[in-house]
């Protein structure tokens, strides 16, 4: 069974750095064609892709947020970590991690349950 | 960046109706298109990938079509559990999602 689970703070203050961890099981991020991405969704709004990391450690970022994001992986722990600097109230959202697989035309086939992050002083 | 435009933004329909949602990419993406269903408070669920391939376990009343810039998700006979919001997503380059289509009860 493939699962992903997000963890991190539920409340951060403006200007702080957010660090989120995605812990997964049932697949390996070292396997060819596998990636893990982060997607967020502000309350009542649409999904927004943030970042991706691939089996070969290649990384991609949303052009609009690239300067604020860093994605890393720890294959021994089956974890992917996203950091977002200079948080603002507009970054309040549910943050999801999801597996991306080339066999599925690079769709996000398995998602975590999401973690809600509120940015407020 | 590739922009994804969905229409309509919402649709009211009855159980048994045929529902069609469209998605347009700002540039050609071949078949690099996925569709997701999201229910309130839940994570999105993959329905269709590669524009027309049905994800394992998804009912056959869901189908996808299109290539290049214009795509369609069709629910052939709407069921009570299908009332949800649907998103398209292009996977050709840096991923991007459409704005969503909410399917509501008429």
């Amino acid at each position: 069974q493939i699962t992903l689970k997000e963890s991190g703070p539920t409340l951060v203050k403006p200007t702080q750095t957010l660090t989120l961890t995605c812990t997964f099981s049932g697949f390996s991020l070292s396997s060819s064609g596998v990636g893990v991405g982060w997607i967020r969704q502000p309350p009542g709004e649409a999904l927004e892709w943030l970042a991706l990391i691939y089996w070969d450690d290649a990384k991609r970022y949303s052009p609009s947020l690239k300067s604020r994001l860093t994605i890393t992986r720890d294959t021994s722990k089956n974890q992917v970590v996203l950091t977002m600097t200079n948080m603002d109230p507009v970054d309040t959202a549910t943050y999801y991690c999801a597996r991306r697989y080339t066999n599925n035309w690079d769709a996000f086939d398995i998602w975590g349950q999401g973690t809600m992050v509120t940015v407020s002083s | 960046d590739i922009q994804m435009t969905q229409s309509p933004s919402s649709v009211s329909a009855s159980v048994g109706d045929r529902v069609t949602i469209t998605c347009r990419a700002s540039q050609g993406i071949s078949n690099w298109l996925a569709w997701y269903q999201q229910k309130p408070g839940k994570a999105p669920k993959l329905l269709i990938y590669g524009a027309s391939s049905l994800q394992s376990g998804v009912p056959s009343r869901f189908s996808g079509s299109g290539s290049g810039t214009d795509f369609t998700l069709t629910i052939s006979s709407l069921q009570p559990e299908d009332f949800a919001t649907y998103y398209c997503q292009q996977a050709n380059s840096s991923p991007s999602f459409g704005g969503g289509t909410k399917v509501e009860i008429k």
Side-chain angles (χ1 to χ4, degrees):
Chain A
Q1 184 187 7
I2 295 172
T3 64
L4 302 95
K5 188 172 184 179
E6 307 86 352
S7 59
T10 57
L11 178 67
V12 297
K13 290 180 167 50
T15 75
Q16 287 186 336
T17 293
L18 171 69
T19 299
L20 294 173
T21 300
C22 176
T23 302
F24 57 88
S25 64
F27 68 96
S28 171
L29 193 44
S30 299
S31 299
S32 180
V34 176
V36 172
W38 286 94
I39 303 99
R40 71 178 179 180
Q41 185 173 39
E45 297 187 24
L47 301 164
E48 179 184 21
W49 168 72
L50 301 176
L52 268 167
I53 190 165
Y54 292 95
W55 78 97
D56 59 358
D57 207 33
K59 300 162 188 177
R60 284 198 171 173
Y61 297 99
S62 165
S64 62
L65 293 167
K66 185 175 183 178
S67 64
R68 299 173 54 204
L69 297 173
T70 302
I71 190 168
T72 60
R73 66 178 185 169
D74 186 332
T75 52
S76 65
K77 293 183 179 179
N78 282 350
Q79 292 181 333
V80 171
V81 175
L82 180 75
T83 61
M84 180 180 292
T85 61
N86 195 24
M87 293 293 283
D88 183 272
V90 300
D91 297 313
T92 294
T94 297
Y95 287 75
Y96 297 99
C97 63
R99 186 183 79 158
R100 195 186 202 204
Y101 192 29
T102 55
N103 279 11
N104 290 336
W105 285 73
D106 280 349
F108 293 107
D109 63 348
I110 309 292
W111 293 62
Q113 64 189 23
T115 186
M116 178 67 193
V117 178
T118 300
V119 184
S120 175
S121 55
Chain B
D1 301 3
I2 299 177
Q3 311 299 322
M4 305 301 292
T5 304
Q6 277 183 246
S7 61
S9 57
S10 66
V11 58
S12 295
S14 301
V15 172
D17 284 352
R18 182 181 183 90
V19 173
T20 300
I21 300 168
T22 63
C23 180
R24 175 165 288 176
S26 60
Q27 62 189 75
I29 58 171
S30 183
N31 287 353
W32 296 92
L33 193 284
W35 290 98
Y36 301 87
Q37 176 194 67
Q38 187 180 33
K39 296 182 179 180
K42 300 295 186 181
K45 172 188 173 183
L46 177 65
L47 299 176
I48 302 285
Y49 61 91
S52 61
S53 295
L54 195 66
Q55 173 71 346
S56 176
V58 174
S60 59
R61 63 181 179 271
F62 292 93
S63 63
S65 64
S67 183
T69 60
D70 294 310
F71 302 88
T72 299
L73 174 71
T74 299
I75 310 172
S76 60
S77 178
L78 198 65
Q79 298 302 301
E81 61 267 31
D82 300 336
F83 292 96
T85 300
Y86 294 84
Y87 293 94
C88 62
Q89 176 237 321
Q90 65 83 12
N92 187 47
S93 63
S94 296
S96 54
F97 290 87
T101 296
K102 187 174 184 179
V103 178
E104 301 175 297
I105 300 173
K106 191 172 185 178

